[in-house]
Each structure stands twice: as C-alpha cells, then as structure tokens.
Amino acid sequence: MEYGATIWNPYIKGDIDKLEKIQNRAIRFIKKDYKTRTPGSITKMRKELELDTLQERRTSLRLILMYKVVQGLVPALPPTSFVKNAKQKRQIKANKHFQ
C-alpha cells in the first residue's frame, strides 16, 4: 500500500477510508483480535504496535521526498523523459488562384 505513495496520494475521503480499513484489518491480524468492536479498539491496538495511520505515513514520505529533492539527494528527471512535444497541426495552404 505504500509503494508509490509519494507520487499517488488519495485525496477523496472515501479512498482514504478504504485504505485505512485495509490497515485496520492488518492490525487485527497482527494482534489476532478479530472480535473486539468497542470504540477506539483499533486506535489502542495501533498505539500498542506503534503504527502511524497510512495518511500520516504518506505525509511523512512526501516530506522526506521533498527534502531529498531540495538537497539534491534525488536525481531530477529531465523534462524530455516525461514531457511530450506537441504534434504539428495540419496547416492549410492558400490556393494559388485566391492569392
């Protein structure tokens, strides 16, 4: 779930919630606690495991990447590798009879 998180970061609440639900299932799996449904039980388990939410982890990964770019620790991509030249549009030439 973290692969490419520095580039792709969901901003729609529904997408964020779906990702957090996956992590919550993983937390239950790690703790082997599938039955507890009291409010705050996942938060308590997350704190016991010392895990951040996925949103917090994506934020810190973006900040780390930005720091590396500013410090020159990450090679910059040349624009030619991702910017495509615009296609030439068809040009209409004037007819000799109308000049």
Side-chain angles (χ1 to χ4, degrees):
M1 291 188 304
E2 289 188 26
Y3 180 77
T6 54
I7 306 301
W8 178 79
N9 186 22
Y11 59 92
I12 299 172
K13 177 123 174 68
D15 293 339
I16 294 168
D17 291 342
K18 286 178 188 177
L19 288 174
E20 292 297 332
K21 284 181 183 180
I22 294 169
Q23 186 188 35
N24 292 345
R25 278 190 241 143
I27 289 170
R28 287 190 182 282
F29 179 79
I30 293 167
K31 295 292 282 183
K32 297 179 183 172
D33 182 358
Y34 304 102
K35 295 182 181 182
T36 306
R37 299 290 181 203
T38 59
S41 62
I42 290 289
T43 305
K44 182 181 172 192
M45 287 186 248
R46 182 182 290 122
K47 286 182 182 178
E48 289 172 4
L49 294 170
E50 297 179 5
L51 290 175
D52 293 331
T53 64
L54 293 175
Q55 184 67 32
E56 292 167 345
R57 287 159 58 183
R58 284 192 301 273
T59 300
S60 66
L61 286 172
R62 280 195 328 265
L63 290 171
I64 289 168
L65 177 66
M66 188 58 76
Y67 172 81
K68 287 179 179 181
V69 168
V70 169
Q71 295 298 319
L73 302 172
V74 176
L77 293 173
T80 55
S81 67
F82 60 89
V83 176
K84 295 180 181 177
N85 292 332
K87 291 183 180 179
Q88 288 287 343
K89 294 184 178 182
R90 190 175 112 193
Q91 294 184 4
I92 300 173
K93 295 181 182 179
N95 194 331
K96 293 179 190 177
H97 300 292
F98 296 107
Q99 287 183 357

